[in-house]
Every structure is written in C-alpha cells, then in structure tokens.
C-alpha cells in the first residue's frame, strides 16, 4: 500500500537557519506529492505541491523537488523565521475512481527560536 | 480555492453522547472527505462522502460509529456516536477542488477539536 515517512521532530532551529525536513514515499504509479502546514491551533494549509517527477514546488520561501529515483520530496527553506514554527506534513495523493485518497506522513514539528 | 467552515470549532462532551459536526463549503464540490487527527498524531481518513451516494469508509471506521450525510454539493455532516475518551481528536473535513487543473488537490477546513470526558 501507499505510505509516507518523514523525519520525526521536534526540530528546533534558530532564526535564519536552514531547514530541511526529509520525506520519502512508497506508492504504485505516479502520485502527486504535497506539503501541508499546520500552525498552532489552526487547520491544515496547503504549502506546496508537485505532480510529476522533477517538478519543484515552492511557496513562502519553501521548496521541494519530486525525486522519483529516490522516492523523496524533501522540504527546504534557506532562512527560517519564528513564524515558521508549525507542524509540517508530507502527503501523497493517489487517484482512485471512488475518490482520491491522501496519505499523510506522521508530521514534523518545527520550532524556530529568536 | 474553496472556503470551508466547520461547526462547532470545539466541544467538550460526556462519554456515551453523540456530536454532529457540520462542514460547509462556499462552492460546489464533488468529493468531500472526513479525517481524524488524534492528539500529536497525523491525519487518518475516516471516509469519503459523495453527494447522492453512501459514504465510503476506510478500514477501521464503521457507519454505526461515524454516520455521514452529504445532502448536497456544498454541505456534509459527520456524527461521532456513543463517544468515549478515545474519540478525543480534531476532526477535519476536506474538499477536492479540480480547479481546472490536470491533477486534484484537497483543501481543509479549520477542524473541530473534540474532547470527551
């Protein structure tokens, strides 16, 4: 079956540090890949996405590249801010006739200190 | 993208009671989904709700415990029945927005935080 594995947190960083959150997946075919972010006390927001191999998704300074050869979709940001403190979820979407299904990784909590 | 609201935003309930959560979307969507996020955990899909048909439940979830309604293309409800403390979670609805793209993506409501005593 489909699965997503991401690095466990919490990840604690200082402001302006470089952030990487590793994400690897197992799936048949060609899933779409997503990063969602959940800020404290809020619901999930779509951060970025990629739909095919070598696509790079980017938003708010975050980037992730769909690497089919390594089945990975690592999230990176060059200089984090305190406001980036949140839980980040990697997810894949498989198309199904009965309804497309999102499979989530376990989430990585990121804490950015001033 | 769709704007999604949920009611209630949070509730504290007694064990053995039931709670119905509402999900309203500002545009018509075909697919709606209900997820559960247990404390400190990731999201797990409960069921897929298409308008005009019975909801499709994932393994480990049953209709008697989580009945779902989907009366039209902008609204759905999830009921958590005969609650126990283990049902304490955030329940989120999501919708699928084709948006004219060649792929699909899901957008999430703000969630309903349920605590069962």
């Amino acid at each position: 079956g489909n699965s997503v594995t991401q690095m466990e947190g919490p990840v604690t960083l200082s402001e302006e540090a470089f952030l990487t959150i590793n994400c690897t997946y197992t799936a048949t075919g060609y899933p779409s890949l997503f990063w969602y972010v959940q800020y404290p006390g809020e619901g999930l927001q779509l951060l970025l996405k990629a739909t095919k191999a070598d696509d790079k998704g980017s938003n708010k300074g975050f980037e992730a590249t769909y690497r089919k050869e390594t089945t990975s979709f690592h999230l990176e940001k060059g200089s984090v801010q305190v406001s980036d403190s949140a839980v980040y979820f990697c997810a894949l979407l498989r198309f199904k006739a009965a309804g497309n299904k999102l499979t989530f990784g376990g989430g990585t909590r990121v804490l950015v200190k001033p | 993208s769709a704007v999604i609201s949920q009611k209630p935003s949070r509730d504290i309930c007694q064990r053995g009671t039931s709670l119905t959560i509402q999900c309203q979307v500002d545009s018509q969507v075909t697919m709606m989904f209900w997820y559960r996020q247990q404390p400190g955990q990731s999201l797990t899909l409960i069921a897929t709700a298409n308008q005009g048909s019975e909801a499709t439940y994932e393994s480990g979830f049953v209709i008697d415990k989580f009945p779902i309604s989907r009366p039209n293309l902008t609204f759905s409800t999830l009921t958590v029945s005969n609650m126990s403390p283990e049902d304490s979670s955030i329940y989120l609805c999501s919708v699928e927005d084709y948006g004219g793209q060649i792929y699909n993506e899901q957008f999430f409501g703000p969630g309903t935080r349920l605590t069962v005593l």
Side-chain angles (χ1 to χ4, degrees):
Chain A
N2 301 325
S3 67
V4 177
T5 303
Q6 58 183 107
M7 59 189 290
E8 289 190 21
V11 174
T12 303
L13 303 166
S14 297
E15 211 165 17
E16 299 183 2
F18 185 87
L19 170 67
T20 298
I21 304 176
N22 290 338
C23 171
T24 57
Y25 68 91
T26 302
T28 56
Y30 303 93
S32 295
L33 301 174
F34 303 84
W35 277 100
Y36 284 86
V37 58
Q38 187 174 37
Y39 296 104
E42 299 185 13
L44 261 68
Q45 298 178 26
L46 179 64
L47 181 59
L48 53 84
K49 60 191 178 190
T51 60
K52 61 184 187 295
D54 300 326
D55 265 3
K56 177 184 284 187
S58 61
N59 185 28
K60 298 182 180 179
F62 289 90
E63 290 183 344
T65 301
Y66 190 149
R67 301 289 188 198
K68 189 162 179 63
E69 64 276 13
T70 55
T71 62
S72 65
F73 192 54
H74 306 321
L75 183 68
E76 297 181 336
K77 185 173 185 180
S79 177
V80 294
Q81 305 300 314
V82 172
S83 57
D84 294 323
S85 298
V87 181
Y88 293 82
F89 293 94
C90 184
L92 69 83
L93 182 69
R94 285 288 287 126
F95 302 128
K96 293 170 55 179
N100 302 332
K101 180 178 178 179
L102 264 178
T103 301
F104 285 89
T108 303
R109 182 175 299 276
V110 173
L111 177 61
V112 180
K113 295 186 174 181
Chain B
S1 63
V3 176
I4 306 163
S5 60
Q6 285 185 233
K7 290 182 181 179
S9 59
R10 59 178 62 227
D11 207 342
I12 301 173
C13 302
Q14 298 297 319
R15 70 171 66 209
T17 62
S18 297
L19 177 72
T20 295
I21 302 168
Q22 299 178 5
C23 179
Q24 179 75 52
V25 188
D26 70 338
S27 60
Q28 294 183 342
V29 293
T30 304
M31 303 285 194
M32 294 182 75
F33 306 85
W34 287 98
Y35 288 82
R36 180 176 72 181
Q37 185 180 20
Q38 294 177 301
Q41 302 297 313
S42 186
L43 282 78
T44 302
L45 180 65
I46 297 172
T48 302
N50 297 337
Q51 192 267 334
S53 63
E54 295 288 326
T56 303
Y57 289 83
E58 296 298 306
S59 176
F61 298 95
V62 295
I63 187 171
D64 289 347
K65 177 66 176 177
F66 297 102
I68 288 171
S69 77
R70 181 79 201 273
N72 57 52
L73 291 173
T74 63
F75 187 78
S76 178
T77 67
L78 170 76
T79 299
V80 186
S81 303
N82 188 25
M83 288 184 285
S84 67
E86 291 71 36
D87 294 319
S88 297
S89 296
I90 300 173
Y91 292 86
L92 300 103
C93 71
S94 76
V95 305
E96 199 163 74
D97 186 350
Y98 290 85
Q101 306 287 337
I102 61 172
Y103 54 86
N104 303 321
E105 59 184 82
Q106 291 184 20
F107 296 91
F108 285 80
T112 295
R113 185 179 296 272
L114 171 61
T115 303
V116 184
L117 303 177

